[in-house]
Amino acid sequence: SGHGWRRGNECSYCWIIKMNVMKIHKYIWCAVVMFFLYGCFDDKGNYDYRDMADITIENVPEVIEVLGNSDRIIVTPKVISSLDGEVKEDNGNFEFSYKIEKKSGGTMVAGQKWVDLNPSKTLNLDTLAAFAADTYIGWFAVTDKRSGVQTSTTFDIKVSSPTYEGWMVLCNEGEQERVRMDMISVISAERVIPAYNVLAPLGFPEVKHARGIGFYPTRLANPDDVIYVMSEEGTYKLNKETFKTDESWNMNNVDFIIPPADEHVVYYNTVNSSNASAALACLCVTDAGNAYAQVLNTPGAAFEKPINTSARGEAPTYRVAPYIGVSMARPGNGKAAIFYDVDNQRFMGWKQGYVDFLMQVLNPIRDKDGALFTFKTGMDLVYMESTRYSNGLVYAILQDAVGKRCIYGINMSGNGYVPESKYEDLNAPDFDKATLFAFHSQFPYMFYAVGNKIYLHNLGTNTTYPMNNIALGENETVTMLKFNLYRQCSLKDLNNQSEEFMARQYELMVGSYNAATPDNNGGRLGFYPVDGVNNSVTKRAEYSGFAKIKDVVYRERR
């Protein structure tokens, strides 16, 4: 009405209404605040609110040093909560985790930078150090699942190589015969321990059907030791220090002038030279029956075309057996090698020549009048082995058309190819069934195996002795017999070793496998010194946990 007053453009009635609305809003906000405060006070009675726990981690070492694929990474931390006290394994409010990554950076596996060491999330860690030699960072974390707060600590893990020195144990794993290398690592004279599947973290390809280990150590100023893992699906060179390898290290691609097509090296040997520092030549045979020579005193030495031919560079005219016989006596004692032509059933020779091309062809060995046997045998070759017996004797087991076997001894010292011994009508039970053999370099002994039985045959007396003290179970079979002769080109350095160490090369190595083992690790390797007086052996040591042992070679070091 006209009795009101105005405040600027606003009449007195409007102003009064506005002020009342503001008071109402103020009361509403106060009521809302009081509601939430009351709710909070009421909440404290309904929920058990506590302070956030402080977590401390104790008993975690700063550094753990382990042998790769042999030792275990073990951590037993003590976790203490400021509210819960010591946290035990069964406390469901906490979760634990362990991870590992390279300290220098880079990927661990399949592009991933870290690996979960403890998928089961347990408090304590106990896992195989299945990693390549390197320094890693271990990471241990504790998570309070109620608050989501995580507390962690780190520690170094130094993994050393199990491959530096010791017995390389080549195996076939499982029914598929996956190639696997285990090792009996010699860390010191007092510490000799097995390491398993050592090539798995080092890039070794998935191949099957192991055939053997090729090893050639040198004593040059800059040693260039050669190590090959041979299989029916490919042969690979290993890094001499780390054992790392991959597809690019396939022997066909790195050691041949022209890579062989559809064939793989399955046997490898070297010929000694008068120079004790290195060999004269490296020789090999493929699964196609072709032989190759790498003459080492020539620049850029490599394997050329097959040498099982009548003229250098021509196509092969026959196949050779997967064996190469050489003298294993002192350096320079023999500069020749012997092969076997399986198509024409004859021995073929390789010799050092005055010019290189003469060493790129095999030649038939000439018979001498009055010789003990002819080199054109007319029989199949069953087995051939190089020894030091009689200053470099090569033994060859031959079988005629009716299955009867005999043994030739060919002396490879000097110019080689001297028929020295012939053993027929052997008094050896089941010798015609045997597939595994080993000849001693100090005594005229041949060992052979049939199933789970091992026999010693004295060639001098034509008497056989069952090795009953090599006890194998009914589910076990022998998978390898061998003497590991140290290579001559490094023997001078090895002579600085103890007499006990040097005697190991004359111990019979017996590889066996227990088919009843629930996993793929039923292999055993036993070492047996040979008694040359009593025609017997005694067990010195035995190691287990391998797959099916195919070959064993000692990794020599200076």
Side-chain angles (χ1 to χ4, degrees):
S1 77
H3 298 287
W5 49 267
R6 300 185 67 83
R7 185 175 181 178
N9 294 325
E10 187 176 37
C11 71
S12 59
Y13 297 108
C14 293
W15 182 85
I16 292 171
I17 293 172
K18 179 179 179 180
M19 294 304 295
N20 288 333
V21 170
M22 290 179 65
K23 286 181 181 180
I24 292 171
H25 285 177
K26 181 177 180 182
Y27 293 143
I28 292 174
W29 279 109
C30 287
V32 170
V33 171
M34 289 299 295
F35 173 79
F36 278 106
L37 286 176
Y38 178 79
C40 291
F41 288 128
D42 188 58
D43 236 14
K44 190 173 179 81
N46 294 332
Y47 296 91
D48 184 17
Y49 273 84
R50 298 185 298 173
D51 294 332
M52 189 175 295
D54 290 328
I55 303 295
T56 58
I57 301 173
E58 301 176 358
N59 202 39
V60 174
E62 293 183 4
V63 180
I64 298 175
E65 296 187 9
V66 289
L67 188 67
N69 292 285
S70 179
D71 290 339
R72 302 187 72 79
I73 302 172
I74 298 175
V75 182
T76 55
K78 184 177 182 180
V79 178
I80 300 174
S81 166
S82 61
L83 298 179
D84 300 90
E86 183 175 353
V87 178
K88 298 295 185 180
E89 178 84 48
D90 57 355
N91 192 324
N93 292 323
F94 295 88
E95 184 178 79
F96 315 99
S97 61
Y98 290 88
K99 294 192 291 187
I100 185 174
E101 62 185 48
K102 289 185 177 181
K103 193 167 186 177
S104 58
T107 60
M108 290 287 292
V109 291
Q112 187 166 307
K113 291 188 175 181
W114 57 268
V115 170
D116 187 353
L117 285 177
N118 190 30
S120 60
K121 307 299 181 184
T122 55
L123 172 61
N124 297 323
L125 177 68
D126 185 349
T127 187
L128 181 68
F131 304 100
D134 208 332
T135 300
Y136 301 86
I137 295 177
W139 183 73
F140 170 61
V142 182
T143 303
D144 188 332
K145 294 191 290 185
R146 296 165 297 185
S147 64
V149 175
Q150 188 177 79
T151 306
S152 63
T153 187
T154 61
F155 52 97
D156 282 358
I157 303 174
K158 292 184 177 180
V159 180
S160 58
S161 172
T163 61
Y164 182 80
E165 181 175 356
W167 284 272
M168 299 178 287
V169 184
L170 185 64
C171 305
N172 284 314
E173 182 184 71
E175 294 183 1
Q176 299 298 318
E177 294 195 339
R178 182 184 74 90
V179 177
R180 160 181 149 186
M181 183 182 282
D182 298 335
M183 190 140 183
I184 302 174
S185 300
V186 178
I187 311 305
S188 66
E190 295 74 29
R191 192 180 185 208
V192 179
I193 56 176
Y196 304 102
N197 211 11
V198 296
L199 298 183
L202 300 175
F204 188 75
E206 287 282 337
V207 291
K208 299 180 179 65
H209 314 304
R211 292 297 294 265
I213 300 171
F215 179 54
Y216 162 50
T218 71
R219 292 178 57 245
L220 300 173
N222 296 308
D224 191 20
D225 294 353
V226 172
I227 306 172
Y228 298 108
V229 174
M230 297 178 285
S231 80
E232 294 179 9
E233 295 186 349
T235 290
Y236 295 86
K237 179 182 283 188
L238 306 183
N239 181 287
K240 63 183 179 181
E241 297 298 337
T242 65
F243 276 28
K244 287 185 178 181
T245 189
D246 54 39
E247 284 290 351
S248 67
W249 284 58
N250 188 306
M251 184 181 183
N252 287 6
N253 298 323
V254 299
D255 289 309
F256 284 81
I257 294 177
I258 302 175
D262 301 324
E263 55 184 297
H264 308 292
V265 171
V266 294
Y267 195 90
Y268 175 91
N269 210 340
T270 59
V271 180
N272 294 326
S273 70
S274 56
N275 180 358
S277 297
L280 171 67
C282 301
L283 306 171
C284 68
V285 178
T286 68
D287 52 5
N290 291 325
Y292 297 85
Q294 181 186 43
V295 183
L296 298 177
N297 60 357
T298 59
F303 292 105
E304 298 186 15
K305 290 189 175 181
I307 61 175
N308 46 313
T309 181
S310 57
R312 182 181 187 180
E314 291 188 0
T317 54
Y318 55 89
R319 296 170 300 139
V320 297
Y323 300 101
I324 305 169
V326 299
S327 170
M328 293 296 288
R330 67 183 185 277
N333 178 67
K335 299 179 181 180
I338 192 166
F339 293 77
Y340 197 77
D341 174 354
V342 299
D343 293 324
N344 300 293
Q345 297 179 319
R346 58 180 178 170
F347 288 102
M348 303 294 291
W350 179 96
K351 277 192 177 183
Q352 179 185 25
Y354 294 105
V355 289
D356 293 341
F357 74 84
L358 294 177
M359 293 183 277
Q360 294 297 332
V361 175
L362 296 181
N363 292 289
I365 302 173
R366 295 179 181 178
D367 291 328
K368 294 182 179 180
D369 294 338
L372 194 59
F373 54 79
T374 175
F375 286 105
K376 188 171 178 57
T377 69
M379 294 183 282
D380 292 329
L381 180 71
V382 176
Y383 178 75
M384 187 160 63
E385 181 177 345
S386 307
T387 75
R388 292 192 187 126
Y389 190 76
S390 189
N391 207 26
L393 199 66
V394 169
Y395 290 100
I397 299 176
L398 299 155
Q399 180 172 294
D400 64 18
V402 297
K404 186 177 181 181
R405 293 180 176 180
C406 63
I407 302 172
Y408 286 4
I410 305 168
N411 198 303
M412 299 294 292
S413 61
N415 290 322
Y417 318 135
V418 177
E420 181 173 305
S421 53
K422 181 180 181 181
Y423 304 98
E424 298 178 294
D425 300 320
L426 275 69
N427 179 25
D430 290 332
F431 177 55
D432 59 329
K433 301 176 184 177
T435 57
L436 299 170
F437 312 90
F439 289 86
H440 205 275
S441 283
Q442 294 176 314
F443 314 115
Y445 290 171
M446 174 187 66
F447 293 85
Y448 65 95
V450 180
N452 65 350
K453 301 294 183 183
I454 299 173
Y455 300 91
L456 182 161
H457 181 79
N458 188 320
L459 295 168
T461 63
N462 195 19
T463 308
T464 300
Y465 304 86
M467 298 290 96
N468 295 324
N469 59 336
I470 303 180
L472 302 179
E474 62 179 29
N475 292 315
E476 280 188 279
T477 55
V478 180
T479 62
M480 186 205 71
L481 293 178
K482 188 176 181 180
F483 293 100
N484 178 82
L485 298 178
Y486 300 140
R487 300 301 301 187
Q488 285 299 296
C489 56
S490 61
L491 193 57
K492 182 177 179 181
D493 290 326
L494 291 176
N495 278 332
N496 296 326
Q497 298 280 356
S498 66
E499 291 184 8
E500 180 184 8
F501 175 84
M502 296 303 294
R504 300 276 166 84
Q505 62 187 318
Y506 302 115
E507 294 178 348
L508 177 67
M509 297 188 296
V510 178
S512 62
Y513 190 79
N514 186 346
T517 305
D519 54 19
N520 294 320
N521 304 314
R524 290 195 294 165
L525 180 61
F527 294 83
Y528 295 83
V530 178
D531 185 340
V533 176
N534 298 305
N535 299 284
S536 62
V537 299
T538 55
K539 184 166 68 177
R540 176 186 61 82
E542 184 178 85
Y543 303 89
S544 60
F546 308 109
K548 295 178 182 178
I549 298 171
K550 180 66 176 180
D551 194 15
V552 177
V553 174
Y554 192 84
R555 168 65 160 127
E556 301 167 20
R557 306 297 292 206
R558 296 190 178 190

